[in-house]
Amino acid sequence: MNDRHFATGLGKVLIYLRIILHIPCYYAVRPRFFSSPLGYFRFLRRALQLLFVFRHNKIVRVNAGYKLHLYLPAYPSPAFFYAIESKLLRSPPGPTTIVFSMTKACSYRCQHCYQRNDAATDLDETLMIRTAQAVRDTGVAMFDIEGGEPFLRFPRLLKLVQALDARCEVWVNTTGANCQPGMLDELQKAGLFGLMISVHSPDRDKHDAFTGVPGAFDTACAMVRTGRQMGLVVAFNSVLSEEEIRHGGLDRLMELARELDCDYVQLIHPKPAGLWIGRTEGMQTDAALIRSVQQAHIRYNSRGMHAYPALAAQVFEERKDVLGCTSGGVDRYYVGASGEVQPCEFLNFSFGNVKEEPFALIYARMRSFFPSPCQDWLCCTQAEVVQRLFAQTGLTQTPLPWKVTQELVASWDRGLPTPIYKRLGIYK
């Protein structure tokens, strides 16, 4: 691995200084964004505060510049500035990221799949693309396109990537299965930025058992190598069990990612959603274990671990003193393959389906229940309610439809306000 691939220590400070100097100059010649000089200087103060939130992260050097955070587009791309404008200049602030499922098709049988029980009919291709463009126009600057397995419906995937523009940094979430020669080349020409590749254990046999597919581990590793050779940014998407973390699995995963020249490891804590609805064991509720992962996030992003990939541990990113819960269009939301608009892929309830209602109406409805960012991890605190509603209604497909979701969100508690957004003052 080339140590210059990452920036820590003084190198990170210099990149931050460059950004801090560039942003005022960039917007000084764009007065249309500001009604007065006071508005301009208020924006600069907020931008500095927001960038400071990412100070614990390692900077990843990419072809397009520098990534300060996995879910913030690379500076100084058009998508980076679109994200800043969406968050700090819109009223109300827009989200930054979408997880966009473009097909239910999948040949894997992952134990934790959050959409295995989702309705199986994919959106009409024209409606899918129109929905994706409407999502982009809500302020979304980073698309995580997933399935199922996107490469199983490659022509559909390619058309979707081609339909987005430079305001979007486009990633594909994949197992690596069914990626045929030439597919990545076409996607890269269409604007593909990166790959998030499922690796759920550093142990070959454990990963294959988890996915239900012999050879899945080798397929994933081969996909990582191919992506890096092409110059794509590559991340592991990993759900490690509590047992594996307790026995050094995270360190072994980071070592594997370093050997494969990965840019990021995204560590997703187990969620009681999808096939795990109702599950209580192993859902990472142990406070001591959570603290150890949060400490690992800081350690692997420090100067002392310069040569390792950046670690993006959700239990760190979702801390109350960082970003808290970002679902519901605060920073992110989810559109399922069948057109359901959900606050998060791990929250199996819907605010409406684009086959039945206009996207703009559904989106506004969802945002009305997320008027400001809060701290609680809703995927954990609302899991019991979601499970109870499924049992009461006799539903067998996820997500809960809007008519049932109304009962859940009518009087729910999302926790205390997230301090960083309160300080920014961008929510009324």
Side-chain angles (χ1 to χ4, degrees), residues 281-293:
E281 291 185 4
M283 293 294 100
Q284 204 162 313
T285 56
D286 181 356
L289 183 64
I290 291 173
R291 282 196 301 272
S292 73
V293 175

Side-chain angles (χ1 to χ4, degrees), residues 30-339:
R30 291 167 173 81
R32 69 182 185 279
F33 288 111
F34 311 102
S35 58
S36 68
L38 180 61
Y40 169 72
F41 287 109
R42 185 185 297 118
F43 161 75
L44 295 181
R45 177 181 60 81
R46 288 170 171 169
L48 181 61
Q49 285 181 293
L50 184 60
L51 294 177
F52 190 65
V53 174
F54 307 134
R55 67 191 182 280
H56 295 299
N57 296 334
K58 182 177 291 178
I59 293 179
V60 179
R61 302 176 192 266
V62 297
N63 292 336
Y66 308 93
K67 281 189 71 69
L68 311 184
H69 184 273
L70 178 58
Y71 286 102
L72 180 67
Y75 165 84
S77 67
F80 173 87
F81 290 104
Y82 187 53
I84 294 293
E85 291 156 17
S86 171
K87 186 59 59 186
L88 301 180
L89 295 176
R90 284 187 180 225
S91 183
T96 305
T97 304
I98 186 75
V99 178
F100 194 95
S101 178
M102 45 73 68
T103 183
K104 180 81 184 319
C106 190
S107 58
Y108 280 43
R109 300 179 296 279
C110 297
Q111 297 174 14
H112 68 321
C113 184
Y114 53 76
Q115 57 170 261
R116 176 77 63 79
N117 296 326
D118 282 7
T121 305
D122 292 347
L123 280 180
D124 168 78
E125 191 174 276
T126 300
L127 179 56
M128 177 195 70
I129 290 174
R130 190 165 69 241
T131 301
Q133 291 171 335
V135 164
R136 175 200 61 202
D137 293 342
T138 65
V140 166
M142 182 173 169
F143 267 72
D144 285 343
I145 300 174
E146 64 164 23
E149 173 48 63
F151 285 99
L152 286 171
R153 299 199 65 184
F154 180 73
R156 182 179 172 91
L157 171 62
L158 181 60
K159 287 179 183 178
L160 177 56
V161 175
Q162 290 170 334
L164 301 171
D165 57 34
R167 287 176 289 174
C168 301
E169 184 176 284
V170 180
W171 293 66
V172 169
N173 293 357
T174 178
T175 61
N178 206 56
C179 181
Q180 304 300 321
M183 286 183 175
L184 283 178
D185 295 278
E186 289 190 68
L187 288 171
Q188 192 173 37
K189 290 175 185 175
L192 178 66
F193 180 88
L195 297 169
M196 293 191 183
I197 300 170
S198 298
V199 179
H200 298 305
S201 172
D203 180 272
R204 175 181 283 101
D205 292 339
K206 287 182 180 179
H207 174 83
D208 288 358
F210 189 85
T211 62
V213 176
F217 181 87
D218 291 336
T219 296
C221 291
M223 189 70 161
V224 172
R225 293 187 186 97
T226 301
R228 290 299 296 132
Q229 288 168 4
M230 294 179 62
L232 294 169
V233 182
V234 174
F236 276 3
N237 256 352
S238 304
V239 178
L240 294 185
S241 68
E242 286 191 353
E243 178 185 9
E244 194 147 26
I245 292 175
R246 293 183 195 281
H247 290 88
L250 177 55
D251 291 331
R252 293 194 299 275
L253 185 72
M254 294 300 294
E255 188 63 40
L256 173 65
R258 187 189 67 81
E259 291 171 2
L260 291 173
D261 196 25
C262 264
D263 299 284
Y264 284 95
V265 171
Q266 177 173 222
L267 185 64
I268 304 166
H269 57 91
K271 323 268 188 170
L275 292 182
W276 281 352
I277 282 182
R279 181 169 172 170
T280 56
E281 291 185 4
M283 293 294 100
Q284 204 162 313
T285 56
D286 181 356
L289 183 64
I290 291 173
R291 282 196 301 272
S292 73
V293 175
Q294 291 171 341
Q295 290 164 0
H297 177 101
I298 294 174
R299 184 174 76 253
Y300 275 107
N301 289 318
S302 70
R303 185 176 180 181
M305 306 295 272
H306 180 89
Y308 283 81
L311 176 60
Q314 282 191 351
V315 294
F316 181 89
E317 308 285 6
E318 296 170 354
R319 267 178 18 178
K320 64 181 181 181
D321 59 336
V322 185
L323 293 174
C325 179
T326 61
S327 65
V330 171
D331 279 332
R332 66 196 305 272
Y333 60 108
Y334 177 69
V335 175
S338 64

Side-chain angles (χ1 to χ4, degrees), residues 402-413:
W402 166 237
K403 64 181 181 180
V404 180
T405 296
Q406 291 180 79
E407 179 182 341
L408 187 157
V409 300
S411 58
W412 67 350
D413 180 5

